[in-house]
Amino acid sequence: MPPHCQLVMGPAGVGKSTYCQAMQEHAANERHHVHVANLDPAAEHFGYNVAFDIRDLISLEDVMEEMELGPNGGLLYCMEYLLENLEWLKDQFENYADDEYLIIDCPGQVELYSHVPVMRTLVELLQSWGLKICGCYLIDATYAADPTKFISGSLLSLSAMIQLELPHLNVLTKCDLVDEDELNRVLDFESASMLLDSTFHARGKASDKIMKSSRADDMNHDEDDVYDENDDYDINKVKNQKNIKNTEGEEENERETGGRLSKLTFAITSLLDDFTMVSFVPLNLKDEASVNLVLHAAENLTQYGEDREPNEKDYNDE
């Protein structure tokens, strides 16, 4: 049974299967074999070589059809069914030697890593079998363009860290799709509170600029200049007046919302700041050095390879 295992987690669409494929291919280029298993009963396609697949035991499609459940309920049923058939899972692990490394592609349903104890139970069972496990939680780097989404993703990651109690690595995927300077700006903030304050401050400036521009345009029009049926219809004037009203309404709504939810917002950011555990490693799949950094960071969390002898080149054979 392989003693080293990496659980790849994260919301749907963040690129878990793509991450697994990239890690497997990168390891193969380094002559380091990595096995990838699928524990997501809702998965359809993946580009990596599958070591074993939960769909050989149970699939979401079959459960939804036979049990008449929705996607969320069906996924929970599948994972609970897995816990009831642990002999199947144990047999899969026993096919690998002690010095092999396994990456597990996990389902993305948020409930599994928050208030439903399925994944926590699974982790405890794997540890009882002697596996050294680390968690790797993926968040889409495009969230960094909207700090409120980034803070939401950080909360999801913190929830998984607390629930599973594993050595943990948080990874920002799809970094090749975002502006590097903007991403570094977000990551350089020392706390979630500072990031949110900066965001609201920037939005306030932008809102003030829009309002000033709209009001200046409005003042350029003659106050007595009203629509007359004999005049040509000036669509630009009408649009300008509508824009002013919309901007004023949005500004008032934002003030009211911010007032009502300010205490909740403060509590959320304070929670992240108090734990001070959530940090992220950027991953750019087009950069071999970035992929290598993330792979070895995850391996170090489980002390993988520390007992191996270094490979030494024999120059006498040349």
Side-chain angles (χ1 to χ4, degrees), residues 53-118:
D53 191 346
I54 189 177
R55 296 178 304 171
D56 295 335
L57 175 68
I58 187 171
S59 71
L60 177 61
E61 184 179 358
D62 293 340
V63 169
M64 290 176 61
E65 182 178 348
E66 296 178 14
M67 307 294 293
E68 297 184 352
L69 295 172
N72 290 339
L75 186 56
L76 288 174
Y77 180 90
C78 290
M79 299 308 294
E80 290 173 351
Y81 186 84
L82 174 65
L83 294 180
E84 294 173 359
N85 294 269
L86 291 173
E87 285 302 317
W88 176 86
L89 184 61
K90 194 170 185 178
D91 289 343
Q92 306 304 317
F93 281 112
E94 288 178 345
N95 293 327
Y96 303 98
D98 290 347
D99 60 345
E100 293 182 288
Y101 191 84
L102 186 66
I103 296 178
I104 299 180
D105 191 358
C106 297
Q109 191 173 9
V110 173
E111 292 87 341
L112 297 174
Y113 311 98
S114 54
H115 56 280
V116 178
V118 172

Side-chain angles (χ1 to χ4, degrees), residues 239-309:
K239 284 184 176 180
N240 184 63
Q241 293 169 357
K242 287 184 176 180
N243 287 338
I244 293 173
K245 292 180 179 179
N246 290 339
T247 304
E248 291 174 341
E250 290 172 2
E251 188 180 54
E252 182 179 356
N253 182 64
E254 187 171 340
R255 283 198 303 269
E256 292 178 354
T257 304
R260 292 199 306 268
L261 302 181
S262 58
K263 291 184 178 179
L264 175 60
T265 302
F266 176 76
I268 290 173
T269 55
S270 296
L271 179 67
L272 288 169
D273 295 342
D274 290 343
F275 275 93
T276 64
M277 294 195 305
V278 181
S279 60
F280 292 91
V281 178
L283 172 62
N284 184 347
L285 294 181
K286 296 181 179 179
D287 184 356
E288 287 292 321
S290 176
V291 177
N292 187 66
L293 175 65
V294 172
L295 178 60
H296 286 293
E299 290 177 345
N300 289 338
L301 291 176
T302 59
Q303 300 176 320
Y304 177 74
E306 289 190 356
D307 56 345
R308 289 184 301 178
E309 294 293 332

Side-chain angles (χ1 to χ4, degrees), residues 10-198:
V14 297
K16 294 187 294 295
S17 296
T18 304
Y19 168 91
C20 293
Q21 178 183 351
M23 293 299 140
Q24 187 179 60
E25 292 175 352
H26 179 79
N29 292 335
E30 290 191 339
R31 299 181 181 180
H32 163 34
H33 194 56
V34 168
H35 302 282
V36 181
N38 174 51
L39 280 190
D40 184 1
E44 297 180 356
H45 308 287
F46 18 68
Y48 54 77
N49 298 321
V50 185
F52 60 86
D53 191 346
I54 189 177
R55 296 178 304 171
D56 295 335
L57 175 68
I58 187 171
S59 71
L60 177 61
E61 184 179 358
D62 293 340
V63 169
M64 290 176 61
E65 182 178 348
E66 296 178 14
M67 307 294 293
E68 297 184 352
L69 295 172
N72 290 339
L75 186 56
L76 288 174
Y77 180 90
C78 290
M79 299 308 294
E80 290 173 351
Y81 186 84
L82 174 65
L83 294 180
E84 294 173 359
N85 294 269
L86 291 173
E87 285 302 317
W88 176 86
L89 184 61
K90 194 170 185 178
D91 289 343
Q92 306 304 317
F93 281 112
E94 288 178 345
N95 293 327
Y96 303 98
D98 290 347
D99 60 345
E100 293 182 288
Y101 191 84
L102 186 66
I103 296 178
I104 299 180
D105 191 358
C106 297
Q109 191 173 9
V110 173
E111 292 87 341
L112 297 174
Y113 311 98
S114 54
H115 56 280
V116 178
V118 172
M119 292 302 295
R120 172 64 179 263
T121 304
L122 179 61
V123 165
E124 291 175 347
L125 287 167
L126 295 178
Q127 290 175 327
S128 70
W129 296 345
L131 278 77
K132 294 182 179 179
I133 311 172
C134 76
C136 188
Y137 202 90
L138 310 186
I139 292 294
D140 194 327
T142 57
Y143 287 2
D146 186 344
T148 53
K149 290 183 179 180
F150 184 69
I151 290 175
S152 175
S154 299
L155 281 175
L156 294 177
S157 179
L158 178 61
S159 175
M161 295 171 73
I162 296 173
Q163 178 82 347
L164 302 182
E165 295 183 332
L166 288 172
H168 202 92
L169 180 68
N170 297 310
V171 178
L172 284 176
T173 61
K174 306 180 184 180
C175 287
D176 54 306
L177 302 180
V178 300
D179 181 74
E180 185 176 356
D181 292 336
E182 177 63 19
L183 180 61
N184 290 333
R185 186 190 71 83
V186 172
L187 294 178
D188 284 342
F189 279 98
E190 297 180 359
S191 69
S193 301
M194 292 175 61
L195 173 60
L196 204 61
D197 287 345
S198 173

